[in-house]
Amino acid sequence: MARCRSCRAPIEWVATESGKHMPVEEREGGNLVLDRDLLGENPVARVVADGEGTHVSHFATCPDGDRWRGRKP
């Protein structure tokens, strides 16, 4: 588990289905679920209907999200 450099919230870096990486945070009722491999590692974020997920993109909740979007982790 990592922390956001701006707001210090706990985040996890995950791959997207397109192969890019993004920070996510745990949030019931989110719009993302994390699919993990058999060892419970290498999470890949998959978009689901709003309210059905367990995570959200940290870019959507961080006060400084626009500042970091598009940069590499």
Side-chain angles (χ1 to χ4, degrees):
M1 189 69 62
R3 291 213 173 260
C4 174
R5 287 192 271 174
S6 294
C7 70
R8 307 301 300 157
I11 59 171
E12 182 175 3
W13 283 98
V14 300
T16 63
E17 291 177 302
S18 68
K20 294 184 178 185
H21 287 85
M22 74 173 176
V24 297
E25 61 185 68
E26 220 173 311
R27 174 143 331 154
E28 287 302 319
N31 68 335
L32 300 171
V33 293
L34 302 186
D35 295 327
R36 297 179 189 271
D37 63 18
L38 293 175
L39 298 175
E41 300 174 355
N42 303 315
V44 175
R46 182 171 42 92
V47 177
V48 295
D50 283 340
E52 295 183 8
T54 57
H55 290 75
V56 295
S57 169
H58 185 62
F59 291 129
T61 62
C62 181
D64 293 326
D66 288 337
R67 179 176 155 206
W68 298 103
R69 189 176 282 112
R71 295 181 67 178
K72 293 190 181 207

